[in-house]
Amino acid sequence: MPTIKLQSSDGEVFDTDVQIAKCSGTIKTMLEDLGMDEGDDEVVPLPNVNSAILRKVLQWATFHKDDPIPVEDDDSKEKRTDDISSWDADFLKVDQGTLFELILAANYLDIKGLLDVTCKTVANMIKGKTPEEIRKTFNIKNDFTPAEEEQVRKENEWCEEK
Amino acid sequence: MAFRAGIGSFRTRSIGKDGTELRSPELLPPYDANFDEFGPRYADLPMEILVNIFSYLTPSDRREAGLTCHRWCEAAHHTAFLDRFWLVLQRIQFDANEPPVRMLLDSFRHFPNVQLREVDFERLGNYFQQFGPHIRRIAFDACDLQERALFAILSHLAGLRSLSIRSCRDLFMCVLLFENPTERAALRQTLSGVTELSLAHIQYLSDAILHRLMEIMPSLTSLGLPGCNVSFHPGLYRKFYPGDRKQPSESVLTFQYIAQVIDERKALLRTLDFSQTLVDDNALEVLAAMGPELQLERLELERCEQLSGRGLGTLLRVQAAHLRELNLSRSYRVTDSCLVQICQEVPGLRVLKMRECRAISNQGVRQVVQLAQLEVLDVSYCKAINGEGILEGIASKRNETLRELYIGGLDLSERSIIAITENLPELRVLDLGYCFHAMSDLCLQFICRNMVRLTHLTLDGCRKVSDGGLTGLGMLGQMQRYLQADTEVPPESDPAIVAGNGQQSAENGQASASPPAEERQPAVPQAPPFRISLRSRAEQEIVNDAERKRQLMEAMQQKESLKQQASSSSSSTAAFSGYSIERLQQLHVLNLAGCNSLTDVSLLFNFRLLELRELSLSACKQFTHEGIQALVRGCPAIEKLDLSECFNIKDEAVRQIVLHLHRLRELSLRGCYQLTDYSLDYIACHCHRLRVLDVRGCKQIDGEPARRLANLPQLTTIRPDKANDHDTSDVRFGYGGSAMPPGAPPPPVGLLAMRL
């Protein structure tokens, strides 16, 4: 089985199946652009992903390696968050920091399936909450001045999203 | 690719003597700019990721998320969502020097859609100069609008696509509307992109005015004249157009003139709306004669009482290839043969509405299954249809295209409703209002089991629905028996049907517990026949209340014991009970008005719906503050709550509501006579977003609640106790999935709606 070496930001090298690694659009492009053959001793550096996160990403990719390629969503209004598989739900039972890193890693590595499922998880954590509760959950600092907050509140009086 | 500032340190590789990698010992963990001292910085996620996350939220949740910080606010107002934003100005003076318009001028936000309802135009200022070019759709509804003001507004709307004017009487009484040809030429330039025009319920519309409007909007694809006084009689036409007079009349609006307009524009027109006019068969035959050049995709003929199958048939034959949406609701003379023709000849139909078409029966409805692309079907209140028509029609085979089904007020059967749940899994909207014979707990269980994508569920008036249906307590046995009878599986293989391997012994134990549990379910106290009670009414009520409470306590204890059994056998509660409404997580609108058998048990047991926006529990008289307390914690996003006639509600319930429902906009407490002024105080303290409050029939409440609620900034309508009690116009919950709410008819004169 052809493998490829992926190196995280903190120097750890992961020997990975090429097919699994190619679920990341970024790695796929790198391999094709750099003309890397499998089996070379070449290492693909991933400076934006640390080893703990890369390990988790590869775990996800290994489980999902047989998934069909996700198509680009059309602009349908029907986006659902209740279709996260139980394996994914368990996989994402992590602390906020790890979830955050996974989102960034999925974005950097261009893994649509992982990005979608992490975004859905975050969306599920926002549902039904007040702004204060959302701030607490996600460690968001309220950078509105009282005047700005008042302005936004007033605009919302007259604005509806349908 | 995400740009991350402060990349973790990049270590160089060191190769040891035997060629293996050596890892230098870890020093301090690398600096990570994505975390501050409090944790990960979600506020600083890249914008495209934030927009991706927000695209999974409902508009209501998105608004709340946008109130957290600047970047999230920016994401919530991103162009991806912009199309859906409406500026809704209602009952204000449009004055550029006064709020709210002055506030809107100060902000930089522009809205692509503007709805102006009951607005007086005082001083336009430069609002439309500034924001006009971004406006795509504008709707004027019962506004005090003058000709000059409309001209001034329209001159700035260079990007306009859709114009809707409804019953602005003063505007059309003025005969000078758009009279100046130079002004018309200028407007024609500006409004060259307008494709939709709707002129609804305008009494004084005439051929001349229509002519001028047509002149300034050359690119129309959709023309609507619902509720206008269109004259179809050829005699009237001859009177006002004697000889060969070609000048459009200023006195009448005639179909003959409209037909000319349609004929001139038939290459472009796709949508026609003649709802609530006297359109008749001859008129439709005239349209049919415009032959294949006129390619209608959408035809609205709601409440056209003059129509029958003849004209419609002729028109449909010509337009069959293109027609996608057809609305014949309340056109009473449309018959089965017409429906059969539609089903056979219009294969591309997506929307079919035939609400209250009394002449439709099973024979016609059975054929609807032929419409393979149908997404919306409305046959509510067609009294001649019953369960068979549905069962042998659209519910006869699996259909993943249908999205909205309105079958309220029909004499359905349990079997037909269950067949719907099995064969139409992709439904988003299901209206079973007043199907009180058929709609039972078993049906509701099947809905909860199969239709997890529902967003609107209407079960008003379905009196048989009780706690078992909503919670599934003790229902599994019944469901199993139904399925087993349906598939004729021998009784020994009963446990095989249940999903849940390895728990069969526990289930067998539970299954024996459930029949007795079923028997102990609280039943609505039936009045014994032929018994004359000599008690006073008040005493009878006390007795009824005590009985209810006793049954309630019994039900709660039963629930507790079932829960204990569940935790002790370590299987989930779903193993022995049926399905709870909590499975329908995408539910936005739920109408349980009149389901009198429901008690607090339903609300206490798993009533957690995070996206629920509108809930009606009107006339569900057994709810108390205990249930309400659980409800408001489980459904924090509720914006419209109807608790009218729930007379067991006391102040404590209102306190719970206002503390937990932060997004509440409309609250009806009509007929909750146990409420006192404390409720008003709770509302005044906490309900900051409240707009409509109904406290009619709350006799212990102050006769002038407005005084106590003066501090609520958005409260515009209170219906106080002294109001005319004949008015029973309730807020209509969740009718249809359309983007714009149907325009409400003007309120009756007797209604005391107080403006603040």
Coordinates of all heavy atoms in Angstrom, one line a residue, chain B residues 1-58:
Chain B
M1 N -7.4 28.7 1.9 CA -6.6 28.2 3.1 C -6.7 29.2 4.2 O -6.6 30.4 4.0 CB -5.1 28.1 2.7 CG -4.9 27.0 1.6 SD -3.4 26.1 1.8 CE -2.2 27.4 1.5
A2 N -6.8 28.7 5.4 CA -6.9 29.7 6.5 C -5.5 30.3 6.8 O -4.5 29.6 6.7 CB -7.3 28.9 7.7
F3 N -5.6 31.6 7.1 CA -4.3 32.2 7.4 C -4.2 32.2 8.9 O -5.1 32.7 9.6 CB -4.3 33.6 6.9 CG -3.1 34.4 7.4 CD1 -1.8 34.1 6.9 CD2 -3.2 35.4 8.3 CE1 -0.7 34.8 7.3 CE2 -2.1 36.1 8.8 CZ -0.9 35.8 8.3
R4 N -3.2 31.7 9.5 CA -3.0 31.7 10.9 C -1.8 32.5 11.3 O -0.7 32.1 10.9 CB -2.9 30.2 11.4 CG -4.2 29.6 11.9 CD -4.0 28.2 12.1 NE -3.1 27.9 13.2 CZ -3.3 26.8 14.0 NH1 -4.3 26.0 13.9 NH2 -2.4 26.5 14.9
A5 N -2.0 33.5 12.1 CA -0.9 34.2 12.6 C -0.2 33.5 13.6 O -0.8 32.7 14.4 CB -1.4 35.6 13.1
G6 N 1.1 33.6 13.7 CA 1.8 33.0 14.8 C 1.9 31.5 14.6 O 1.4 30.7 15.3
I7 N 2.5 31.0 13.5 CA 2.7 29.6 13.2 C 3.5 29.0 14.3 O 4.5 29.5 14.8 CB 3.3 29.4 11.9 CG1 2.4 30.1 10.8 CG2 3.5 28.0 11.5 CD1 3.1 30.2 9.4
G8 N 3.1 27.8 14.7 CA 3.9 27.0 15.7 C 5.3 26.8 15.2 O 5.6 26.8 14.0
S9 N 6.2 26.7 16.1 CA 7.6 26.6 15.7 C 7.8 25.4 14.8 O 7.3 24.3 15.0 CB 8.4 26.6 16.9 OG 8.2 25.4 17.6
F10 N 8.6 25.6 13.8 CA 8.9 24.6 12.9 C 10.2 23.9 13.2 O 11.3 24.5 13.2 CB 9.0 25.2 11.5 CG 8.9 24.2 10.4 CD1 7.7 23.9 9.8 CD2 10.0 23.4 10.0 CE1 7.6 23.0 8.7 CE2 9.9 22.5 9.0 CZ 8.7 22.3 8.4
R11 N 10.1 22.6 13.6 CA 11.3 22.0 14.0 C 12.1 21.3 12.9 O 11.5 20.8 12.0 CB 11.0 20.9 15.0 CG 10.4 21.4 16.3 CD 10.1 20.3 17.3 NE 9.4 20.8 18.4 CZ 10.0 21.5 19.4 NH1 11.3 21.7 19.5 NH2 9.2 21.9 20.4
T12 N 13.3 21.4 12.9 CA 14.1 20.7 11.9 C 14.3 19.3 12.2 O 14.2 18.9 13.4 CB 15.5 21.4 11.8 OG1 16.1 21.3 13.1 CG2 15.4 22.8 11.3
R13 N 14.5 18.5 11.2 CA 14.6 17.1 11.4 C 16.0 16.7 11.8 O 17.0 17.2 11.2 CB 14.3 16.3 10.1 CG 12.8 16.4 9.7 CD 12.6 16.1 8.3 NE 13.0 14.7 8.1 CZ 13.3 14.2 6.9 NH1 13.3 15.0 5.8 NH2 13.6 12.9 6.7
S14 N 16.2 15.9 12.8 CA 17.6 15.4 13.0 C 17.6 13.9 12.9 O 16.7 13.2 13.5 CB 18.0 15.8 14.4 OG 16.9 16.0 15.3
I15 N 18.5 13.4 12.1 CA 18.5 12.0 11.8 C 19.6 11.4 12.6 O 20.8 11.9 12.6 CB 18.8 11.8 10.3 CG1 17.9 12.6 9.4 CG2 18.7 10.3 10.0 CD1 16.5 12.1 9.4
G16 N 19.3 10.4 13.3 CA 20.3 9.7 14.2 C 21.2 8.8 13.3 O 21.1 8.7 12.1
K17 N 22.1 8.1 14.0 CA 23.1 7.3 13.3 C 22.5 6.2 12.5 O 23.0 5.8 11.4 CB 24.1 6.7 14.3 CG 25.0 7.7 14.9 CD 26.3 7.1 15.4 CE 27.1 8.2 16.1 NZ 27.0 8.1 17.6
D18 N 21.5 5.6 13.0 CA 20.9 4.4 12.2 C 19.8 4.9 11.3 O 18.9 4.1 10.9 CB 20.4 3.4 13.2 CG 19.5 4.0 14.2 OD1 19.3 5.2 14.2 OD2 18.9 3.2 15.1
G19 N 19.7 6.2 11.0 CA 18.8 6.6 10.0 C 17.4 6.9 10.6 O 16.5 7.4 9.8
T20 N 17.2 6.6 11.8 CA 15.9 7.0 12.4 C 15.8 8.4 12.8 O 16.9 9.0 13.1 CB 15.5 6.1 13.6 OG1 16.5 6.2 14.5 CG2 15.3 4.6 13.1
E21 N 14.7 8.9 12.9 CA 14.5 10.3 13.3 C 14.7 10.4 14.8 O 14.3 9.6 15.6 CB 13.1 10.7 13.0 CG 12.8 11.0 11.6 CD 12.4 12.4 11.4 OE1 11.8 13.0 12.3 OE2 12.7 13.0 10.3
L22 N 15.4 11.5 15.1 CA 15.5 11.9 16.6 C 14.6 13.1 16.8 O 14.6 14.0 16.0 CB 16.9 12.3 16.9 CG 18.0 11.2 17.0 CD1 19.3 11.8 17.3 CD2 17.6 10.2 18.1
R23 N 13.8 13.0 17.8 CA 13.0 14.2 18.1 C 13.6 15.0 19.3 O 13.9 14.4 20.3 CB 11.6 13.8 18.5 CG 10.9 13.2 17.2 CD 9.4 13.1 17.5 NE 8.8 14.4 17.7 CZ 7.8 14.5 18.6 NH1 7.4 13.5 19.4 NH2 7.3 15.7 18.8
S24 N 13.9 16.2 19.0 CA 14.5 17.0 20.1 C 13.5 17.1 21.2 O 12.3 17.1 21.0 CB 14.9 18.3 19.6 OG 14.3 18.7 18.4
P25 N 13.9 17.2 22.4 CA 13.0 17.2 23.6 C 12.1 18.5 23.5 O 12.5 19.5 23.0 CB 13.9 17.3 24.8 CG 15.2 17.8 24.3 CD 15.3 17.3 22.9
E26 N 10.9 18.3 23.9 CA 9.9 19.4 23.9 C 10.4 20.5 24.8 O 10.7 20.3 26.0 CB 8.5 18.9 24.4 CG 7.9 18.0 23.4 CD 7.2 18.7 22.3 OE1 6.8 19.9 22.5 OE2 7.1 18.2 21.2
L27 N 10.4 21.7 24.3 CA 10.6 22.9 25.2 C 9.2 23.4 25.6 O 8.2 22.7 25.7 CB 11.4 23.9 24.5 CG 12.8 23.4 24.1 CD1 13.5 24.4 23.2 CD2 13.6 23.1 25.3
L28 N 9.1 24.7 25.7 CA 7.8 25.3 26.0 C 6.8 24.9 24.8 O 7.2 24.9 23.7 CB 7.9 26.8 26.1 CG 8.6 27.3 27.3 CD1 8.7 28.8 27.2 CD2 7.8 26.9 28.6
P29 N 5.6 24.7 25.1 CA 4.6 24.5 24.0 C 4.6 25.7 23.1 O 4.8 26.9 23.6 CB 3.2 24.3 24.7 CG 3.4 24.8 26.1 CD 4.9 24.7 26.4
P30 N 4.4 25.5 21.8 CA 4.6 26.6 20.9 C 3.5 27.7 21.1 O 2.4 27.3 21.5 CB 4.4 26.0 19.5 CG 3.7 24.7 19.8 CD 4.1 24.2 21.1
Y31 N 3.9 28.9 20.9 CA 2.9 30.0 21.0 C 1.8 29.8 20.0 O 2.0 29.6 18.8 CB 3.7 31.3 20.7 CG 2.7 32.5 20.5 CD1 1.9 32.9 21.6 CD2 2.6 33.1 19.3 CE1 1.1 34.0 21.4 CE2 1.8 34.2 19.1 CZ 1.0 34.6 20.1 OH 0.1 35.6 19.9
D32 N 0.6 29.9 20.4 CA -0.5 29.7 19.5 C -1.4 31.0 19.6 O -2.1 31.2 20.6 CB -1.3 28.5 19.9 CG -2.2 28.0 18.8 OD1 -2.7 28.9 18.0 OD2 -2.5 26.8 18.7
A33 N -1.4 31.7 18.5 CA -2.2 32.9 18.5 C -3.7 32.7 18.5 O -4.5 33.6 18.6 CB -1.8 33.8 17.4
N34 N -4.1 31.4 18.3 CA -5.5 31.2 18.2 C -6.1 31.1 19.6 O -7.4 31.0 19.7 CB -5.8 30.0 17.4 CG -5.5 30.3 16.0 OD1 -6.1 31.1 15.4 ND2 -4.6 29.6 15.4
F35 N -5.3 31.0 20.6 CA -5.9 30.9 21.9 C -5.5 32.1 22.7 O -4.3 32.6 22.6 CB -5.3 29.6 22.6 CG -5.8 28.3 22.2 CD1 -5.6 27.9 20.9 CD2 -6.6 27.6 23.0 CE1 -6.1 26.7 20.5 CE2 -7.1 26.4 22.6 CZ -6.9 25.9 21.3
D36 N -6.4 32.7 23.4 CA -5.9 33.7 24.4 C -6.0 33.1 25.7 O -6.2 31.9 25.9 CB -6.8 34.9 24.2 CG -8.3 34.7 24.5 OD1 -8.6 33.7 25.1 OD2 -9.1 35.5 24.0
E37 N -5.9 33.9 26.7 CA -5.7 33.3 28.1 C -7.1 32.6 28.5 O -7.1 31.9 29.5 CB -5.3 34.3 29.1 CG -6.2 35.5 29.2 CD -5.9 36.6 28.3 OE1 -5.2 36.3 27.2 OE2 -6.2 37.8 28.5
F38 N -8.1 32.9 27.8 CA -9.4 32.3 28.2 C -9.8 31.1 27.4 O -10.7 30.4 27.7 CB -10.5 33.4 28.1 CG -10.3 34.6 28.9 CD1 -9.9 35.8 28.4 CD2 -10.4 34.5 30.3 CE1 -9.6 36.9 29.2 CE2 -10.2 35.6 31.1 CZ -9.8 36.8 30.5
G39 N -9.1 30.8 26.3 CA -9.5 29.7 25.5 C -9.4 30.0 24.0 O -8.9 31.1 23.6
P40 N -10.0 29.2 23.2 CA -9.9 29.4 21.7 C -10.7 30.6 21.3 O -11.8 30.9 21.8 CB -10.5 28.1 21.2 CG -11.3 27.6 22.2 CD -10.7 28.0 23.5
R41 N -10.2 31.3 20.3 CA -10.8 32.6 19.9 C -11.8 32.3 18.8 O -11.5 32.5 17.6 CB -9.8 33.6 19.5 CG -8.8 33.9 20.6 CD -8.4 35.3 20.6 NE -7.8 35.7 19.3 CZ -6.6 36.3 19.3 NH1 -6.0 36.6 20.4 NH2 -6.1 36.6 18.1
Y42 N -13.0 31.9 19.2 CA -14.0 31.6 18.2 C -14.4 32.9 17.4 O -14.9 32.9 16.3 CB -15.2 31.0 18.8 CG -15.1 29.5 18.9 CD1 -14.6 28.9 20.1 CD2 -15.6 28.7 17.9 CE1 -14.5 27.6 20.2 CE2 -15.5 27.3 18.0 CZ -15.0 26.7 19.2 OH -14.9 25.4 19.3
A43 N -14.2 34.0 18.1 CA -14.6 35.3 17.5 C -13.8 35.5 16.2 O -14.2 36.2 15.3 CB -14.5 36.4 18.4
D44 N -12.6 35.0 16.2 CA -11.7 35.3 15.1 C -11.6 34.2 14.1 O -10.6 34.2 13.3 CB -10.3 35.6 15.7 CG -10.2 36.8 16.5 OD1 -11.1 37.7 16.3 OD2 -9.4 36.9 17.4
L45 N -12.5 33.3 14.0 CA -12.5 32.3 13.0 C -12.6 33.1 11.6 O -13.2 34.1 11.5 CB -13.7 31.4 13.1 CG -13.7 30.3 14.1 CD1 -15.0 29.6 14.2 CD2 -12.6 29.3 13.6
P46 N -12.0 32.5 10.6 CA -12.1 33.1 9.3 C -13.6 33.3 8.9 O -14.4 32.5 9.2 CB -11.4 32.1 8.3 CG -10.6 31.3 9.2 CD -11.2 31.3 10.6
M47 N -13.8 34.4 8.1 CA -15.2 34.8 7.8 C -15.9 33.7 7.1 O -17.1 33.4 7.4 CB -15.2 36.1 7.0 CG -16.6 36.7 6.8 SD -17.5 37.0 8.3 CE -16.5 38.3 9.1
E48 N -15.2 33.0 6.2 CA -16.0 32.0 5.4 C -16.4 30.8 6.3 O -17.5 30.2 6.1 CB -15.2 31.5 4.2 CG -14.0 30.6 4.4 CD -12.8 31.4 4.3 OE1 -12.8 32.7 4.5 OE2 -11.7 30.8 4.1
I49 N -15.7 30.5 7.3 CA -16.1 29.5 8.2 C -17.3 29.9 9.1 O -18.2 29.2 9.3 CB -14.9 29.0 9.2 CG1 -13.8 28.5 8.3 CG2 -15.4 28.0 10.1 CD1 -12.7 27.9 9.2
L50 N -17.2 31.2 9.5 CA -18.3 31.7 10.3 C -19.6 31.7 9.5 O -20.7 31.3 10.0 CB -18.0 33.1 10.8 CG -17.1 33.3 12.0 CD1 -16.9 34.8 12.3 CD2 -17.7 32.6 13.2
V51 N -19.5 32.1 8.2 CA -20.7 32.1 7.4 C -21.2 30.7 7.2 O -22.4 30.4 7.2 CB -20.4 32.8 6.0 CG1 -21.5 32.6 5.1 CG2 -20.1 34.2 6.2
N52 N -20.3 29.7 7.0 CA -20.6 28.3 6.9 C -21.4 27.9 8.1 O -22.5 27.2 8.0 CB -19.4 27.5 6.7 CG -19.7 26.0 6.3 OD1 -20.8 25.6 6.3 ND2 -18.6 25.3 6.0
I53 N -20.9 28.2 9.3 CA -21.6 27.8 10.5 C -22.9 28.4 10.6 O -24.0 27.8 10.9 CB -20.8 28.2 11.8 CG1 -19.4 27.4 11.8 CG2 -21.6 28.0 13.0 CD1 -18.5 27.9 12.9
F54 N -23.0 29.7 10.3 CA -24.3 30.4 10.4 C -25.3 30.0 9.4 O -26.5 30.1 9.6 CB -24.0 31.9 10.2 CG -23.5 32.6 11.4 CD1 -22.9 31.9 12.4 CD2 -23.5 34.0 11.5 CE1 -22.4 32.5 13.6 CE2 -23.0 34.6 12.6 CZ -22.4 33.9 13.7
S55 N -24.8 29.4 8.3 CA -25.8 28.9 7.3 C -26.6 27.7 7.8 O -27.6 27.4 7.3 CB -25.1 28.5 6.0 OG -24.3 27.4 6.2
Y56 N -26.1 27.1 8.9 CA -26.9 26.0 9.5 C -27.9 26.5 10.5 O -28.6 25.7 11.1 CB -25.9 25.0 10.1 CG -25.1 24.2 9.1 CD1 -23.7 24.5 8.9 CD2 -25.7 23.2 8.4 CE1 -23.0 23.7 8.0 CE2 -24.9 22.4 7.5 CZ -23.6 22.7 7.3 OH -22.9 22.0 6.4
L57 N -27.9 27.8 10.8 CA -28.7 28.3 11.8 C -30.0 28.8 11.3 O -30.1 29.2 10.1 CB -28.0 29.4 12.6 CG -26.8 29.0 13.4 CD1 -26.2 30.3 14.0 CD2 -27.2 28.1 14.5
T58 N -31.1 28.8 12.1 CA -32.3 29.4 11.6 C -32.1 31.0 11.7 O -31.2 31.4 12.4 CB -33.5 29.1 12.6 OG1 -33.1 29.5 13.9 CG2 -33.7 27.6 12.6

